[in-house]
């Protein structure tokens, strides 16, 4: 992807979109059919993602003279039929050639989280394809995905993606994700994980791989009653703010960690009164004060915004095929990575010797919706030309 210096919210160079479309075709390398070429198929898929439309709607909009079944047939022929093969290609798709060299070899903070997409039908083959959870939007069945995101100031760059099936342990998910992290050449400085990962096997796995981590504590153990003291984590509720050595046990297994106790202050929306809440974090090899541990973990919450944007650029479908659904999620995260690269490019450069009172020219980072609108418009224009000109990356 070419590098450029100035961006505006509504002017994105077509070379960026051409390079992004070419990257998709290079990673998957679909073959051509008589009526539908691989370039046409990827144009339809990316346009459907950018406009949150279905594949059928994209075909009728871009190629009204072609039946949508033709595109479905070509996709089914070339789409990998095994989940590991599809995940490897999607993770290669997420590693943008223009952005990865800037991160490779750097020690950065990585955030791991689950994202559940509600599902209302029956599974295609096995009940293991769906995970059960708390009721959300009228269902308890979800297609669940785990991601690793690079947490840098102003960035939430998705580095790896995997599909999480029912009854899979968190350590199995981490094994797959960290294999992709290793392939990218990025070094993990600190891992920020959700409270779902607060288990002895997960913390032991992280220690075995020499990965410093911060995980919110889940309060478990016997509650205090008259004549009986609390046990487990509940016995730590009265501890003062600070960092303490702690051995977390679960059955016969145990792991040594640092238990960090800190506070947060917040104002209730209705009463406008200020309150404080005690927070507990399990850490290992993290040399930060309790306040810094809390603030470092707060940076992880930006990943929730990335999941909201994922749904703004995920093509709609009623298909029960989990592989096709995984492809749509990967394409959505790919579009978001393109936007994150553009945001990083639009940042003002450091002054390096400039006087403090001299103004520095800074371009305005594009909005995510502007990227989607401009990308879909570019794809529409390309679909109107039978032989669109090639662009150099």
């Amino acid at each position: 992807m070419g590098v450029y210096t100035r961006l505006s919210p509504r002017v994105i160079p077509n070379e960026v979109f051409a390079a992004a479309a070419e990257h998709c075709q290079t990673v998957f390398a679909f073959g051509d059919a008589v009526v539908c070429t691989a370039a046409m198929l990827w144009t339809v898929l990316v346009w459907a993602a950018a406009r949150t439309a279905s594949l059928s709607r994209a075909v009728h909009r871009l190629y009204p003279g072609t039946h949508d079944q033709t595109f479905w047939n070509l996709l089914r022929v070339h789409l990998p039929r095994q989940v590991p093969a599809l995940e490897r290609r999607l993770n290669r798709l997420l590693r943008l050639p223009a952005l990865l060299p800037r991160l490779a070899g750097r020690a950065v903070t990585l955030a791991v989280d689950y994202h559940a997409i509600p599902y209302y039908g029956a599974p295609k083959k096995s009940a293991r394809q769906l995970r059960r959870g708390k009721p959300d939007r009228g269902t308890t069945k979800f297609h669940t995905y785990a991601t690793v995101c690079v947490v840098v100031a102003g960035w939430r760059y998705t580095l790896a993606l995997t599909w999480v099936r029912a009854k899979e342990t968190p350590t199995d998910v981490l094994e797959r994700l960290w294999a992709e992290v290793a392939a990218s050449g990025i070094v993990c400085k600190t891992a920020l994980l959700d409270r779902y990962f607060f288990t002895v096997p997960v913390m032991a796995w992280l220690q075995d791989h020499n990965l410093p981590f911060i995980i919110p504590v889940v309060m478990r153990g016997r509650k205090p009653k008259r004549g009986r003291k609390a046990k487990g984590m509940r016995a730590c509720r009265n501890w003062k703010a600070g960092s303490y050595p702690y051995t977390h046990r679960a059955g016969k297994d145990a792991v040594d960690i640092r238990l960090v106790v800190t506070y947060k202050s917040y104002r209730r929306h209705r009463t406008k009164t200020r309150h404080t809440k005690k927070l507990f974090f399990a850490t290992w090899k993290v040399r930060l004060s309790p306040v810094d541990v809390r603030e470092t973990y707060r940076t992880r919450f930006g990943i929730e915004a990335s999941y909201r944007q994922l749904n703004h650029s995920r093509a709609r479908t009623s298909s029960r095929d989990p592989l096709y659904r995984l492809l749509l999620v990967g394409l959505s995260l790919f579009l978001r990575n393109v936007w994150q690269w553009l945001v990083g490019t639009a940042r003002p450069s450091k002054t390096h010797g400039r006087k403090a009172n001299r103004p520095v020219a800074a371009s305005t980072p594009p909005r995510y919706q502007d990227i989607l609108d401009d990308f879909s418009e570019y794809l529409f224009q390309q679909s109107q030309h039978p032989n669109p000109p090639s662009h150099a990356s």
Side-chain angles (χ1 to χ4, degrees):
M1 297 183 182
V3 178
Y4 50 97
T5 57
R6 184 170 181 82
L7 295 174
S8 66
R10 295 296 299 170
V11 180
I12 309 299
N14 286 341
E15 288 79 5
V16 174
F17 300 137
E22 183 180 354
H23 182 54
C24 293
Q25 300 177 42
T26 302
V27 170
F28 279 85
F30 288 172
D32 296 337
V34 177
V35 180
C36 174
T37 65
M40 294 170 60
L41 176 60
W42 277 110
T43 299
V44 166
L45 288 172
V46 178
W47 189 92
R51 305 302 297 178
T52 60
S54 64
L55 184 141
S56 177
R57 167 63 180 148
V59 171
H60 292 318
R61 181 71 176 93
L62 302 181
Y63 305 101
T66 308
H67 200 278
D68 59 347
Q69 189 63 41
T70 304
F71 290 82
W72 277 111
N73 294 339
L74 183 62
L75 180 62
R76 288 170 180 169
V77 168
H78 293 287
L79 193 67
R81 299 184 180 181
Q82 300 297 325
V83 175
L86 178 58
E87 286 186 352
R88 284 194 297 269
R89 294 196 184 186
L90 288 176
N91 287 314
R92 284 180 54 199
L93 186 68
L94 294 177
R95 296 194 286 266
L96 297 177
L99 182 57
L100 192 59
R102 297 175 55 185
L103 299 174
R106 290 181 55 186
V108 297
T109 301
L110 299 179
V112 185
D113 203 357
Y114 282 8
H115 179 59
I117 298 179
Y119 183 76
Y120 301 93
K124 183 178 182 180
K125 291 184 179 180
S126 170
R128 291 190 67 252
Q129 295 177 349
L130 303 175
R131 287 175 61 93
R132 295 282 182 170
K134 295 181 180 180
D136 184 18
R137 282 174 280 182
T139 183
T140 59
K141 298 180 293 185
F142 306 89
H143 280 286
T144 307
Y145 308 93
T147 59
V148 175
C149 286
V150 176
V151 179
V152 184
W155 271 13
R156 296 298 180 271
Y157 174 73
T158 304
L159 192 61
L161 165 72
T162 187
W163 175 35
V164 183
R165 291 168 285 278
K167 298 183 179 180
E168 274 195 306
T169 63
T171 52
D172 293 335
V173 176
L174 289 176
E175 286 281 359
R176 296 199 299 270
L177 290 176
W178 245 258
E180 297 297 335
V181 172
S184 66
I186 292 178
V187 180
C188 178
K189 179 174 64 176
T190 307
L192 309 178
L193 297 95
D194 187 61
R195 62 178 60 246
Y196 178 79
F197 293 92
F198 181 69
T199 64
V200 170
V202 167
M203 291 186 283
W205 185 91
L206 293 169
Q207 292 179 358
D208 291 340
H209 290 74
N210 196 28
L211 295 172
F213 61 82
I214 302 176
I215 308 176
V217 168
V218 178
M219 285 296 167
R220 300 190 181 102
R222 187 177 68 187
K223 295 182 179 180
K225 292 184 179 180
R226 181 176 299 178
R228 293 194 307 177
K229 294 182 179 181
K231 288 187 176 181
M233 278 293 175
R234 295 187 187 276
C236 307
R237 281 187 175 274
N238 296 328
W239 290 8
K240 296 182 179 180
S243 177
Y244 307 89
Y246 186 83
T247 301
H248 184 54
R249 303 182 185 277
K252 297 181 180 180
D253 300 327
V255 61
D256 294 327
I257 58 174
R258 297 289 300 185
L259 183 62
V260 174
V261 184
T262 183
Y263 291 86
K264 77 170 184 178
S265 176
Y266 64 96
R267 187 184 299 275
R268 288 185 177 176
H269 178 69
R270 292 185 178 180
T271 62
K272 305 300 182 182
T273 57
R274 184 163 292 280
H275 299 264
T276 59
K277 182 178 180 181
K278 188 178 290 187
L279 304 176
F280 296 83
F281 296 97
T283 68
W284 184 72
K285 281 193 175 182
V286 177
R287 297 174 177 85
L288 298 173
S289 67
V291 174
D292 290 337
V293 168
R294 182 195 66 195
E295 294 303 313
T296 299
Y297 190 79
R298 283 187 62 188
T299 61
R300 193 197 70 86
F301 294 117
I303 199 173
E304 303 299 336
S306 69
Y307 288 145
R308 290 195 296 270
Q309 290 174 326
L310 182 153
N311 293 322
H312 293 164
S313 57
R314 179 170 55 88
R316 297 299 180 251
T317 182
S318 59
S319 173
R320 297 192 301 165
D321 187 358
L323 292 177
Y324 179 61
R325 287 177 169 268
L326 177 61
L327 174 66
L328 298 185
V329 172
L331 278 177
S332 176
L333 293 175
F334 165 71
L335 290 176
R336 193 180 177 281
N337 279 359
V338 173
W339 172 66
Q340 286 288 274
W341 175 73
L342 294 175
V343 169
T345 306
R347 289 178 179 176
S349 59
K350 296 182 179 180
T351 56
H352 290 300
R354 294 174 181 264
K355 294 183 179 179
N357 57 355
R358 183 178 300 176
V360 180
S363 54
T364 304
R367 297 186 308 164
Y368 188 49
Q369 189 59 50
D370 292 340
I371 295 293
L372 298 179
D373 293 342
D374 292 347
F375 205 168
S376 60
E377 180 63 24
Y378 166 80
L379 294 173
F380 175 77
Q381 296 298 331
Q382 294 298 101
S383 67
Q384 305 306 305
H385 303 283
N387 297 311
S390 59
H391 296 269
S393 59

